[in-house]
Amino acid sequence: IYLSSIKSAKFKETVTPGDQLLIEAKLAKFKMGTCKIIGEIFIGNQLITSCELLASVVDRYEKNNIHSTAIISSNSVIGNGVNIGPFCIIEGNTQIGDNTRIDSNVQIKEFTTIGKNCQIFSSSVIGEIPQDKKFGNEVSKLIIGNNTVIREFCTINRGTSTTGKTLIGDNCLLMAYVHVAHDCIINN
């Protein structure tokens, strides 16, 4: 739900920090994705204000927005509401979670799993093979949790036979130019 407007909201009493507010909302009208809501706010039993809210209801899982210049393997799994920018390359054996945004010129290499609601900024390389002379092209993984932000020009390598994976948890922020080496674990 996206709030469009608030009408006639005038407070009848002063509200101070620490007051416990009770908010009651009733759907008054719904037509073609727009709803009118009547709201009342109380402190205890005393009405403090009432108002009319207008809001738009949109489908939670919007269609994917994939730029025409992006190259995406048919062997990748792309969630709902994913945005993929220009000149991105998404290799096979990859999974990208719902509502993830991938900016321009990003490469997502094979055996990479990215969680929901992530943001990957321009020119990052995600899941590249390890920078390790002992790497024998074995199957290993990169797993990135939900709500993680990866800023511009980051490089993240997948694991080696030592652990088999590189892990980045939920709610992480990797700032510009960060390199995460093979077999690293970054917790939530």
Side-chain angles (χ1 to χ4, degrees):
I1 294 180
Y2 292 96
L3 183 62
S4 303
S5 66
I6 301 173
K7 293 182 181 178
S8 306
K10 294 182 182 176
F11 283 83
K12 298 174 184 174
E13 298 292 331
T14 302
V15 177
T16 58
D19 285 343
Q20 186 173 8
L21 303 177
L22 172 65
I23 302 171
E24 291 185 4
K26 297 176 186 166
L27 181 62
K29 185 177 182 181
F30 182 78
K31 185 176 181 182
M32 298 184 66
T34 301
C35 56
K36 178 179 173 181
I37 302 165
I38 304 301
E40 294 180 325
I41 300 176
F42 297 87
I43 296 178
N45 291 329
Q46 184 177 6
L47 178 65
I48 301 300
T49 189
S50 59
C51 63
E52 178 182 303
L53 307 168
L54 293 178
S56 298
V57 179
V58 295
D59 186 356
R60 182 174 166 204
Y61 297 106
E62 298 175 9
K63 292 182 180 178
N64 292 335
N65 181 13
I66 299 173
H67 195 274
S68 62
T69 61
I71 300 170
I72 301 174
S73 169
S74 60
N75 194 22
S76 61
V77 177
I78 310 293
N80 293 312
V82 173
N83 288 301
I84 300 175
F87 307 108
C88 290
I89 299 173
I90 313 294
E91 293 186 356
N93 298 311
T94 56
Q95 295 180 22
I96 300 173
D98 295 343
N99 302 310
T100 290
R101 189 187 86 214
I102 301 171
D103 286 351
S104 62
N105 298 301
V106 171
Q107 291 186 40
I108 309 291
K109 308 299 270 186
E110 66 180 345
F111 309 118
T112 297
T113 299
I114 299 170
K116 297 177 183 179
N117 303 310
C118 293
Q119 296 179 47
I120 303 173
F121 286 76
S122 297
S123 301
S124 293
V125 180
I126 311 299
E128 185 60 89
I129 62 170
Q131 297 177 43
D132 184 336
K133 289 184 178 183
K134 297 181 295 299
F135 182 70
N137 212 29
E138 61 268 17
V139 173
S140 59
K141 298 178 181 182
L142 167 62
I143 301 170
I144 299 172
N146 299 321
N147 307 308
T148 290
V149 176
I150 300 169
R151 293 303 307 243
E152 303 82 6
F153 299 98
C154 287
T155 57
I156 307 173
N157 295 146
R158 64 184 213 235
T160 65
S161 60
T162 302
T163 66
K165 59 190 166 193
T166 300
L167 297 173
I168 298 175
D170 295 339
N171 304 305
C172 293
L173 169 61
L174 302 180
M175 297 179 77
Y177 295 92
V178 165
H179 172 69
V180 179
H182 58 83
D183 303 305
C184 285
I185 298 173
I186 300 175
N187 289 319
N188 298 341

